[in-house]
Each structure stands twice: as C-alpha cells, then as structure tokens.
Amino acid sequence: VQLQASGGGLVQAGGSLRLSCAASGRTFSTYVISWFRQAPGKEREFVAGIDWSGVNKVYADSVKGRFTVARDNAKNTVYLQMNSLKPEDTALYYCAVSYRLTGVLHDYVYWGQGTQVTVSS
C-alpha cells in the first residue's frame, strides 16, 4: 500500500484547508484510514480516522467540531477538511492505514510521507 498526502500549506488563523490522501491498492475500500500530525519537538498524535464504510469516524478532542474526515472509495482517497484553523494546528500531517479504527499509533501499518500545515496568527 502506498499513500500520498497533499493539500498542506500556509494559512491564517481562522482559515481552512483540505488535505487529501490518495492510496494505492485494490482493497482500499477495506482499510481504515486516519490522519495523524506531528509538531516540532512533539510526539505524533492522532487527529481523525474513518472506517471502510465511511460511516464510523473518530476525532481527537482538540479538533472536534472543526475538522471533518471523509472518503471516496471510488477515487481511493480520504479527505480531511480543516476549518477554523489555529496556530496550534501547525504540524506535519500524515495519513496512515490500519485494519481497525483506533487512535493508537502502533496499530497503523502503512504511512504516507506527510504534508506540512502552517497556521499563522
């Protein structure tokens, strides 16, 4: 499985970005795909995840109500819509594949390369 994250950039506080994670693999529709982020000097943390059906979603408390995760299995792509961005959202954002919907980093077996999100105050 190969993952390609894109859509990062520089945005002012209060702004929005949409990240995309394009995945290879004929069994894409069976994967759980989640987003993690890592800020400089901090550990990688779970942001949001979505199961294979797109029905079940999990969010970190810090992004609930601001971020929305969605998937399009026909396009082998998962999206992270980020609204009301804050400077503390600044990080390198990664998408990753698991076989169950969990926020535990070590449950994820495939990782993309990351896309940088920078929110200025």
Side-chain angles (χ1 to χ4, degrees):
V1 178
Q2 292 187 328
L3 303 171
Q4 181 73 38
S6 62
L10 173 63
V11 64
Q12 289 187 331
S16 298
L17 283 173
R18 188 177 79 158
L19 306 184
S20 298
C21 176
S24 65
R26 290 176 292 177
T27 57
F28 173 84
S29 62
T30 66
Y31 302 153
V32 165
I33 295 191
S34 292
W35 292 92
F36 289 77
R37 65 186 182 187
Q38 188 166 18
K42 294 188 176 181
E43 294 186 350
R44 193 170 298 188
E45 64 176 2
F46 174 80
V47 176
I50 187 167
D51 76 350
W52 66 272
S53 70
V55 172
N56 297 301
K57 305 174 185 181
V58 179
Y59 296 94
D61 288 344
S62 59
V63 306
K64 280 181 182 176
R66 301 188 297 124
F67 290 12
T68 302
V69 63
R71 70 189 294 158
D72 184 340
N73 287 340
K75 296 182 178 180
N76 280 14
T77 302
V78 170
Y79 304 98
L80 184 68
Q81 178 66 43
M82 306 187 295
N83 298 328
S84 302
L85 283 162
K86 305 175 181 180
E88 51 264 43
D89 294 318
T90 295
L92 190 60
Y93 283 71
Y94 299 89
C95 55
V97 166
S98 178
Y99 296 102
R100 61 191 190 104
L101 188 54
T102 168
V104 177
L105 186 146
H106 295 297
D107 286 338
Y108 288 80
V109 293
Y110 301 104
W111 291 83
Q113 85 292 355
T115 184
Q116 178 67 40
V117 172
T118 302
V119 184
S120 62
S121 57

